[in-house]
Amino acid sequence: MGYFKVWGGGLPVSGEVCISGAKNAALPIIAAAVLCKRVCLENCPRLSDTATAAEILDTAGFCFDRCGGGVNIEKTDIGCACIPQEMCGKMRSSVLFIAPLLRRFGCVTLFMPGGCRLGARPVDMHLDLLREMGAKISICGDSITARADNLHGIKTRLPFPSVGATETAIMAAVCAEGESEIHNAAKEPEIDDLCAFLNKAGADIRRGEILVIRGRNSLLGDVRHRIMPDRIEAGTYMAAAAITGGELFLKNAVYEHISAFAEVLMQMGCAVRENGDSIYIEAPERLYNPEYIATAPYPLFPTDMQPQLTALAAVKCGDCLIKENIFETRCGHVPQLNKMGAKIELLSRREFLVHGTESRLSPAVTEAADLRCGAALILAALAADGCSVIKNGGYILRGYEDICKKMSLIGVKIKYCT
Ligand code: UD1
């Protein structure tokens, strides 16, 4: 993996950033393309994770063709529904292919997914849903094989509103026989985007308090869809403005999707304004930390912004207690930020107390433990004097399209070295 070099100095960022299509919407939609005839996607981000999803499609006999700003996906070859371990190991979202490939091929083999190590991250809910719908699942070591001639609708309640398991339930149910009711489904906007995509292709999904899907017992048709903007990318650039006392105009960003984070920034002292499909943020140098932030499923504070908030709180005024409720071990950024002079006490793997230093950090050589940890380290580097190095930079490329170009346009000196 390559590394990033960031020359900080606490200089305020300023200018305009165009937010890309959302990684977390693109990945399930690319998987769901397996259920459709011909798919045309706009705003599909160029990320290493979307490239991995394209490799999986290729294995299954689908052509993933980037032309102009769009992507066309279509089945062109016989392909096979056995996804190599190496591809599954690259990202958690490889598991999202299980339901669509099962429906297409009647049998699918894949491997326990890899991805950011944020805790145990089992796939039990995904597999239980498919079993309930009539699939036979066998697990041998790390390989998972699912078989089903046909899936049937179910009424079920998820034990936790898992984003991925909700997406598996939707993709399995749209082409199953009969109606499904999913209670306690996740409410993230990326799931709305997946539903919008599938409904355009001929599915019948209704999103209320209960997720109701009328299965059509056949594959779906043609669809053209524009991927929603990436709320976590938007939030990360907002954090860049906040940490440097800068000013940014984010184009192609939906305020409502990132309002939980925006509200925290406003409490801290930033001015944040919504303007159609854009967000404006202006931050004074002095910001006051919230006393307590806990991550929770949407619409509450997103776990994918927790490391960035930790970096921000580390250099602002006051103490902030952060509680991570989604993942068991999303704390890899804490020792790395401390290497840069932050004062963060790890009370447990889920709880840390940030003592805001109200001063610049020291440049250091740090290592990204995962994607959002990498984002937090870039933010910390902006608030450090001199040049910081962030190793394992490949994690960051999984989720931030053109990060060097976008950061340079707002005044940051940054380089990715391979
Ligand atoms: C998705 C996002 C990720 C985000 C997360 C939570 C994508 C591609 N990724 O991940 O960026 O951080 O939502 O907002 O959209 N769990 C189980 N069993 C399962 C499934 C999940 O125990 O079968 C647990 C997980 O270990 C975790 C929690 O449920 O502790 C939430 O996971 P989930 O909502 O499924 O996250 P992902 O879909 O993996």
Side-chain angles (χ1 to χ4, degrees), residues 23-25 27-28 49 92-93 95-96 118-127 160-167 186 188 190 231-232 296-298 302-304 325-328 330 350 371-372:
K23 167 180 90 74
N24 289 354
L27 295 173
D49 272 13
R92 166 89 179 164
S93 298
V95 73
L96 296 178
L118 310 172
R121 300 191 87 180
V123 293
D124 53 334
M125 279 189 242
H126 297 252
L127 302 184
F160 176 84
S162 150
V163 174
T166 302
E167 290 162 347
E188 269 67 3
E190 291 78 8
R231 64 193 167 105
I232 305 300
Y298 190 84
T303 174
D304 285 352
N325 284 317
I326 307 295
F327 293 109
E328 294 100 335
R330 190 164 222 174
R350 281 181 180 267
L371 163 58
R372 307 302 169 187

Side-chain angles (χ1 to χ4, degrees), residues 61-383:
F62 288 77
C63 156
F64 179 99
D65 185 20
R66 277 200 184 269
C67 57
V71 167
N72 294 319
I73 304 172
E74 197 176 354
K75 185 138 174 53
T76 52
D77 205 351
I78 295 168
C80 91
C82 180
I83 307 306
Q85 189 157 19
E86 181 229 334
M87 289 180 203
C88 298
K90 283 189 193 167
M91 62 172 189
R92 166 89 179 164
S93 298
S94 54
V95 73
L96 296 178
F97 282 84
I98 192 168
L101 289 176
L102 177 62
R103 181 61 183 79
R104 262 278 176 178
F105 291 87
C107 176
V108 51
T109 297
L110 39 68
F111 292 81
M112 288 298 175
C116 290
R117 287 184 295 273
L118 310 172
R121 300 191 87 180
V123 293
D124 53 334
M125 279 189 242
H126 297 252
L127 302 184
D128 288 348
L129 281 160
L130 293 175
R131 277 193 197 99
E132 267 187 76
M133 296 176 111
K136 298 260 174 301
I137 312 256
S138 50
I139 299 177
C140 177
D142 270 351
S143 94
I144 307 166
T145 298
R147 286 190 178 78
D149 292 333
N150 223 344
L151 294 175
H152 55 79
I154 49 167
K155 275 192 185 160
T156 197
R157 184 179 173 79
L158 298 183
F160 176 84
S162 150
V163 174
T166 302
E167 290 162 347
T168 286
I170 292 169
M171 291 190 276
V174 283
C175 297
E177 195 182 334
E179 192 167 279
S180 292
E181 269 185 22
I182 316 292
H183 297 247
N184 201 28
K187 296 190 169 69
E188 269 67 3
E190 291 78 8
I191 294 174
D192 293 329
D193 210 34
L194 172 66
C195 294
F197 166 84
L198 288 166
N199 281 341
K200 283 185 216 166
D204 182 350
I205 309 168
R206 272 164 292 150
R207 279 276 263 164
E209 204 35 54
I210 303 164
L211 182 56
V212 180
I213 303 151
R214 197 172 301 150
R216 57 181 253 161
N217 204 16
S218 67
L219 289 170
L220 304 173
D222 293 348
V223 49
R224 173 179 284 274
H225 184 75
R226 184 170 176 82
I227 308 271
M228 63 173 273
D230 196 311
R231 64 193 167 105
I232 305 300
E233 189 196 18
T236 303
Y237 283 100
M238 288 163 84
I243 207 163
T244 61
E247 177 189 21
L248 288 180
F249 183 73
L250 307 179
K251 272 177 26 186
N252 189 33
V254 182
Y255 175 85
E256 191 196 337
H257 292 169
I258 192 68
S259 60
F261 180 63
E263 278 162 24
V264 170
L265 291 179
M266 287 190 277
Q267 278 167 28
M268 291 176 78
C270 297
V272 182
R273 278 193 290 278
E274 177 188 6
N275 191 358
D277 64 350
S278 56
I279 300 172
Y280 173 75
I281 173 163
E282 189 180 355
E285 203 178 318
R286 202 174 171 83
L287 293 178
Y288 297 89
N289 286 330
E291 278 176 25
Y292 178 66
I293 292 291
T295 64
Y298 190 84
L300 299 175
F301 194 92
T303 174
D304 285 352
M305 284 306 301
Q306 181 266 104
Q308 299 90 315
L309 177 79
T310 308
L312 174 62
V315 296
K316 300 300 175 185
C317 316
D319 288 356
C320 175
L321 178 63
I322 297 185
K323 173 106 193 279
E324 172 56 53
N325 284 317
I326 307 295
F327 293 109
E328 294 100 335
T329 55
R330 190 164 222 174
C331 55
H333 50 296
V334 172
Q336 301 299 318
L337 291 170
N338 282 344
K339 263 195 205 172
M340 300 178 75
K343 295 197 168 34
I344 309 170
E345 280 179 71
L346 207 50
L347 306 178
S348 73
R349 288 191 297 180
R350 281 181 180 267
E351 235 177 345
F352 17 101
L353 182 60
V354 186
H355 301 287
T357 59
E358 278 187 74
S359 62
R360 299 251 175 83
L361 296 173
S362 317
V365 177
T366 56
E367 271 176 49
D370 58 74
L371 163 58
R372 307 302 169 187
C373 167
L377 294 175
I378 290 199
L379 294 172
L382 299 181

